[in-house]
Amino acid sequence: MLDNYRAGLRWITITLVLLISLGQTSLAQSSADQKRTLTLEEAVDFALKNYPAVRASLERVTAAQAGVGLARTNYLPRADVVWQTNRATDNNITGLVLPQSIIAPISGPVPMATSNRSAWGSAAGLLFSWEPVDFGYRGAKVDAARATRDRATAEASLTRLDVAVATVNVYLTVLAAQRTVRAAEADVERRDTFDKAVRVLVDNQLRAGANASRANAELARARVNLARAQQQEKISRAALTDILGLPDTSVEVVEGSLLGPPPDESPKTTSVTNNPVAEVQHARVEEAQAQVHILDRSYYPKLYLQSSVYGRGSGWDPAGNFEGGTAGLGPDRSNWAVGLTVTLPVLDIFSIRSKKGIEAANERAEAARYDQTLQDLTGQLRKAQASLEGARHVAENTPVELDAARTTETQERSRYQAGLATLIDVADAQSLLVQAETDDALARLAVWQNLASVAASQGDLQPFLQFLHEKTQGGP
């Protein structure tokens, strides 16, 4: 019995080990599934496909395109069909009733006496109406719908540009935070090593005890700076996952050539008139012009070719006698008509003039805003180019700063070991080194960020992304 018990216990143990192993494997697989590594180009492409604002702008373009189709339907003729059955009295009275929607019209002779008897009545008909000539009014409406579609398209391009620029900025911010963390980690490691060396010297009474306290304080400050850098890195990563729509996924960024030697050349420049901001404002000018054109074509006669086929049925005979039964349930008299109708809203000329004055003023205002937009975009482009030039000058000098800081830190530690320098000298050298490491990494990223800013000022990030791709692939 004891052997059976031991055998059963062994099998239970093996089963538990297998279950734990499977659980750990599944957990590791789940953790792996929640991590994604994206290059800058991939992150921009992913954001443009999944960011809700982009999808919403594309749907607005679809709706505006449907609006163009709706405006074109005004060219189609109109055909209305009606069928009516009613039960009513036939008391009629001679007299005039002005047009209104309350009193139902009655056709037929006026009876000699009032009666409460009711009879069936019916009517069916078809009215065909077509406007062969409109003096350009419907075309102006179609042009206005096209202008609205063009504005929606330009706004969608602007939304895509905004999302792409935001993705690039957040991605580069993550890289900057990541490099700051690495510099802070290296600083902690150096100060920890130096702190241990100082304690050995103090323990052997080769240095004053205050040196150990100061070294420990410098180490603690480095750890605080590391904690802050790590905090900023987590915040920037959260911002990146938010703009990518992956809040439950850990996104890893790829440095690629972004932290290599900064490029000397720049993508080709284009006119600021191609910027989606300018295109949106230009589309608004065209919208205002289209509204003016509609009003120009509004004060013209309306010509309609019309034809009608209809039938009437009544439970009363032509003499006004009640026929009874089912008489009048179906039309028993038919007619047809063909004609030309011309209408002109004579007094609308005053309101049309006022509306045209409003729309003309709106057009001039939008044109002024377009000029202001081009001026602002030109200023932004010049500022971005100046900032790029300055970032390149900074990136040229940070390697010199870094080499000198490393040499200084090494020499100061050696001098301290030999008793020729103070601990404050070493601490200052270490602070200079961590600052130089951070400056060098951020200076390289600043060049790329300013290249993106120049491309954004011109309204298209694709040349920048293509330029980055060529550098990553080792192209020209």
Side-chain angles (χ1 to χ4, degrees), residues 269-281:
T269 59
T270 58
S271 174
V272 294
T273 56
N274 297 325
N275 192 304
V277 178
E279 291 178 348
V280 168
Q281 189 56 46

mmCIF file with all atom_site columns, all heavy atoms in Angstrom, residues 269-281:
data_model
loop_
_atom_site.group_PDB
_atom_site.id
_atom_site.type_symbol
_atom_site.label_atom_id
_atom_site.label_alt_id
_atom_site.label_comp_id
_atom_site.label_asym_id
_atom_site.label_entity_id
_atom_site.label_seq_id
_atom_site.pdbx_PDB_ins_code
_atom_site.Cartn_x
_atom_site.Cartn_y
_atom_site.Cartn_z
_atom_site.occupancy
_atom_site.B_iso_or_equiv
_atom_site.pdbx_formal_charge
_atom_site.auth_seq_id
_atom_site.auth_comp_id
_atom_site.auth_asym_id
_atom_site.auth_atom_id
_atom_site.pdbx_PDB_model_num
ATOM 1  N N   . THR A 1 269 ? 12.682 70.139 -51.750 1.00 0.00 ? 269 THR A N   1
ATOM 2  C CA  . THR A 1 269 ? 11.643 71.044 -51.264 1.00 0.00 ? 269 THR A CA  1
ATOM 3  C C   . THR A 1 269 ? 10.561 71.226 -52.326 1.00 0.00 ? 269 THR A C   1
ATOM 4  O O   . THR A 1 269 ? 10.824 71.115 -53.528 1.00 0.00 ? 269 THR A O   1
ATOM 5  C CB  . THR A 1 269 ? 12.242 72.416 -50.915 1.00 0.00 ? 269 THR A CB  1
ATOM 6  O OG1 . THR A 1 269 ? 12.870 72.966 -52.079 1.00 0.00 ? 269 THR A OG1 1
ATOM 7  C CG2 . THR A 1 269 ? 13.273 72.273 -49.805 1.00 0.00 ? 269 THR A CG2 1
ATOM 8  N N   . THR A 1 270 ? 9.359  71.484 -51.880 1.00 0.00 ? 270 THR A N   1
ATOM 9  C CA  . THR A 1 270 ? 8.229  71.739 -52.768 1.00 0.00 ? 270 THR A CA  1
ATOM 10 C C   . THR A 1 270 ? 7.542  73.027 -52.331 1.00 0.00 ? 270 THR A C   1
ATOM 11 O O   . THR A 1 270 ? 7.821  73.576 -51.261 1.00 0.00 ? 270 THR A O   1
ATOM 12 C CB  . THR A 1 270 ? 7.222  70.576 -52.725 1.00 0.00 ? 270 THR A CB  1
ATOM 13 O OG1 . THR A 1 270 ? 6.764  70.401 -51.367 1.00 0.00 ? 270 THR A OG1 1
ATOM 14 C CG2 . THR A 1 270 ? 7.856  69.284 -53.206 1.00 0.00 ? 270 THR A CG2 1
ATOM 15 N N   . SER A 1 271 ? 6.623  73.485 -53.155 1.00 0.00 ? 271 SER A N   1
ATOM 16 C CA  . SER A 1 271 ? 5.913  74.736 -52.859 1.00 0.00 ? 271 SER A CA  1
ATOM 17 C C   . SER A 1 271 ? 4.949  74.533 -51.692 1.00 0.00 ? 271 SER A C   1
ATOM 18 O O   . SER A 1 271 ? 4.338  73.471 -51.546 1.00 0.00 ? 271 SER A O   1
ATOM 19 C CB  . SER A 1 271 ? 5.153  75.201 -54.095 1.00 0.00 ? 271 SER A CB  1
ATOM 20 O OG  . SER A 1 271 ? 4.351  76.322 -53.791 1.00 0.00 ? 271 SER A OG  1
ATOM 21 N N   . VAL A 1 272 ? 4.795  75.580 -50.869 1.00 0.00 ? 272 VAL A N   1
ATOM 22 C CA  . VAL A 1 272 ? 3.881  75.498 -49.733 1.00 0.00 ? 272 VAL A CA  1
ATOM 23 C C   . VAL A 1 272 ? 2.423  75.461 -50.188 1.00 0.00 ? 272 VAL A C   1
ATOM 24 O O   . VAL A 1 272 ? 1.532  75.131 -49.395 1.00 0.00 ? 272 VAL A O   1
ATOM 25 C CB  . VAL A 1 272 ? 4.096  76.678 -48.769 1.00 0.00 ? 272 VAL A CB  1
ATOM 26 C CG1 . VAL A 1 272 ? 5.464  76.607 -48.109 1.00 0.00 ? 272 VAL A CG1 1
ATOM 27 C CG2 . VAL A 1 272 ? 3.916  78.012 -49.492 1.00 0.00 ? 272 VAL A CG2 1
ATOM 28 N N   . THR A 1 273 ? 2.180  75.786 -51.471 1.00 0.00 ? 273 THR A N   1
ATOM 29 C CA  . THR A 1 273 ? 0.801  75.708 -51.960 1.00 0.00 ? 273 THR A CA  1
ATOM 30 C C   . THR A 1 273 ? 0.304  74.270 -52.001 1.00 0.00 ? 273 THR A C   1
ATOM 31 O O   . THR A 1 273 ? -0.904 74.036 -52.059 1.00 0.00 ? 273 THR A O   1
ATOM 32 C CB  . THR A 1 273 ? 0.694  76.326 -53.366 1.00 0.00 ? 273 THR A CB  1
ATOM 33 O OG1 . THR A 1 273 ? 1.623  75.664 -54.249 1.00 0.00 ? 273 THR A OG1 1
ATOM 34 C CG2 . THR A 1 273 ? 1.002  77.810 -53.328 1.00 0.00 ? 273 THR A CG2 1
ATOM 35 N N   . ASN A 1 274 ? 1.235  73.300 -51.972 1.00 0.00 ? 274 ASN A N   1
ATOM 36 C CA  . ASN A 1 274 ? 0.842  71.892 -51.957 1.00 0.00 ? 274 ASN A CA  1
ATOM 37 C C   . ASN A 1 274 ? 0.550  71.387 -50.554 1.00 0.00 ? 274 ASN A C   1
ATOM 38 O O   . ASN A 1 274 ? 0.162  70.222 -50.387 1.00 0.00 ? 274 ASN A O   1
ATOM 39 C CB  . ASN A 1 274 ? 1.946  71.032 -52.592 1.00 0.00 ? 274 ASN A CB  1
ATOM 40 C CG  . ASN A 1 274 ? 2.173  71.374 -54.054 1.00 0.00 ? 274 ASN A CG  1
ATOM 41 O OD1 . ASN A 1 274 ? 1.228  71.708 -54.767 1.00 0.00 ? 274 ASN A OD1 1
ATOM 42 N ND2 . ASN A 1 274 ? 3.415  71.308 -54.504 1.00 0.00 ? 274 ASN A ND2 1
ATOM 43 N N   . ASN A 1 275 ? 0.768  72.232 -49.557 1.00 0.00 ? 275 ASN A N   1
ATOM 44 C CA  . ASN A 1 275 ? 0.475  71.830 -48.180 1.00 0.00 ? 275 ASN A CA  1
ATOM 45 C C   . ASN A 1 275 ? -1.030 71.657 -48.005 1.00 0.00 ? 275 ASN A C   1
ATOM 46 O O   . ASN A 1 275 ? -1.814 72.492 -48.464 1.00 0.00 ? 275 ASN A O   1
ATOM 47 C CB  . ASN A 1 275 ? 0.986  72.900 -47.212 1.00 0.00 ? 275 ASN A CB  1
ATOM 48 C CG  . ASN A 1 275 ? 0.991  72.433 -45.777 1.00 0.00 ? 275 ASN A CG  1
ATOM 49 O OD1 . ASN A 1 275 ? -0.026 72.008 -45.245 1.00 0.00 ? 275 ASN A OD1 1
ATOM 50 N ND2 . ASN A 1 275 ? 2.148  72.527 -45.144 1.00 0.00 ? 275 ASN A ND2 1
ATOM 51 N N   . PRO A 1 276 ? -1.473 70.554 -47.367 1.00 0.00 ? 276 PRO A N   1
ATOM 52 C CA  . PRO A 1 276 ? -2.913 70.365 -47.162 1.00 0.00 ? 276 PRO A CA  1
ATOM 53 C C   . PRO A 1 276 ? -3.595 71.521 -46.447 1.00 0.00 ? 276 PRO A C   1
ATOM 54 O O   . PRO A 1 276 ? -4.780 71.771 -46.674 1.00 0.00 ? 276 PRO A O   1
ATOM 55 C CB  . PRO A 1 276 ? -2.978 69.075 -46.330 1.00 0.00 ? 276 PRO A CB  1
ATOM 56 C CG  . PRO A 1 276 ? -1.756 68.323 -46.715 1.00 0.00 ? 276 PRO A CG  1
ATOM 57 C CD  . PRO A 1 276 ? -0.705 69.371 -46.943 1.00 0.00 ? 276 PRO A CD  1
ATOM 58 N N   . VAL A 1 277 ? -2.872 72.236 -45.586 1.00 0.00 ? 277 VAL A N   1
ATOM 59 C CA  . VAL A 1 277 ? -3.457 73.411 -44.930 1.00 0.00 ? 277 VAL A CA  1
ATOM 60 C C   . VAL A 1 277 ? -3.854 74.440 -45.976 1.00 0.00 ? 277 VAL A C   1
ATOM 61 O O   . VAL A 1 277 ? -4.955 75.009 -45.940 1.00 0.00 ? 277 VAL A O   1
ATOM 62 C CB  . VAL A 1 277 ? -2.464 74.012 -43.921 1.00 0.00 ? 277 VAL A CB  1
ATOM 63 C CG1 . VAL A 1 277 ? -3.051 75.261 -43.279 1.00 0.00 ? 277 VAL A CG1 1
ATOM 64 C CG2 . VAL A 1 277 ? -2.111 72.995 -42.842 1.00 0.00 ? 277 VAL A CG2 1
ATOM 65 N N   . ALA A 1 278 ? -2.949 74.682 -46.941 1.00 0.00 ? 278 ALA A N   1
ATOM 66 C CA  . ALA A 1 278 ? -3.252 75.635 -48.015 1.00 0.00 ? 278 ALA A CA  1
ATOM 67 C C   . ALA A 1 278 ? -4.341 75.092 -48.937 1.00 0.00 ? 278 ALA A C   1
ATOM 68 O O   . ALA A 1 278 ? -5.214 75.837 -49.400 1.00 0.00 ? 278 ALA A O   1
ATOM 69 C CB  . ALA A 1 278 ? -1.987 75.936 -48.813 1.00 0.00 ? 278 ALA A CB  1
ATOM 70 N N   . GLU A 1 279 ? -4.307 73.784 -49.187 1.00 0.00 ? 279 GLU A N   1
ATOM 71 C CA  . GLU A 1 279 ? -5.317 73.191 -50.070 1.00 0.00 ? 279 GLU A CA  1
ATOM 72 C C   . GLU A 1 279 ? -6.710 73.276 -49.449 1.00 0.00 ? 279 GLU A C   1
ATOM 73 O O   . GLU A 1 279 ? -7.699 73.506 -50.154 1.00 0.00 ? 279 GLU A O   1
ATOM 74 C CB  . GLU A 1 279 ? -4.948 71.743 -50.375 1.00 0.00 ? 279 GLU A CB  1
ATOM 75 C CG  . GLU A 1 279 ? -3.704 71.617 -51.265 1.00 0.00 ? 279 GLU A CG  1
ATOM 76 C CD  . GLU A 1 279 ? -3.327 70.172 -51.505 1.00 0.00 ? 279 GLU A CD  1
ATOM 77 O OE1 . GLU A 1 279 ? -3.879 69.297 -50.798 1.00 0.00 ? 279 GLU A OE1 1
ATOM 78 O OE2 . GLU A 1 279 ? -2.496 69.913 -52.399 1.00 0.00 ? 279 GLU A OE2 1
ATOM 79 N N   . VAL A 1 280 ? -6.796 73.080 -48.133 1.00 0.00 ? 280 VAL A N   1
ATOM 80 C CA  . VAL A 1 280 ? -8.094 73.200 -47.466 1.00 0.00 ? 280 VAL A CA  1
ATOM 81 C C   . VAL A 1 280 ? -8.629 74.617 -47.594 1.00 0.00 ? 280 VAL A C   1
ATOM 82 O O   . VAL A 1 280 ? -9.809 74.839 -47.922 1.00 0.00 ? 280 VAL A O   1
ATOM 83 C CB  . VAL A 1 280 ? -7.973 72.798 -45.978 1.00 0.00 ? 280 VAL A CB  1
ATOM 84 C CG1 . VAL A 1 280 ? -9.226 73.197 -45.203 1.00 0.00 ? 280 VAL A CG1 1
ATOM 85 C CG2 . VAL A 1 280 ? -7.753 71.297 -45.848 1.00 0.00 ? 280 VAL A CG2 1
ATOM 86 N N   . GLN A 1 281 ? -7.761 75.610 -47.358 1.00 0.00 ? 281 GLN A N   1
ATOM 87 C CA  . GLN A 1 281 ? -8.218 76.997 -47.443 1.00 0.00 ? 281 GLN A CA  1
ATOM 88 C C   . GLN A 1 281 ? -8.573 77.371 -48.872 1.00 0.00 ? 281 GLN A C   1
ATOM 89 O O   . GLN A 1 281 ? -9.542 78.101 -49.113 1.00 0.00 ? 281 GLN A O   1
ATOM 90 C CB  . GLN A 1 281 ? -7.138 77.926 -46.892 1.00 0.00 ? 281 GLN A CB  1
ATOM 91 C CG  . GLN A 1 281 ? -7.592 79.361 -46.740 1.00 0.00 ? 281 GLN A CG  1
ATOM 92 C CD  . GLN A 1 281 ? -8.833 79.498 -45.878 1.00 0.00 ? 281 GLN A CD  1
ATOM 93 O OE1 . GLN A 1 281 ? -8.945 78.901 -44.807 1.00 0.00 ? 281 GLN A OE1 1
ATOM 94 N NE2 . GLN A 1 281 ? -9.794 80.276 -46.338 1.00 0.00 ? 281 GLN A NE2 1
#
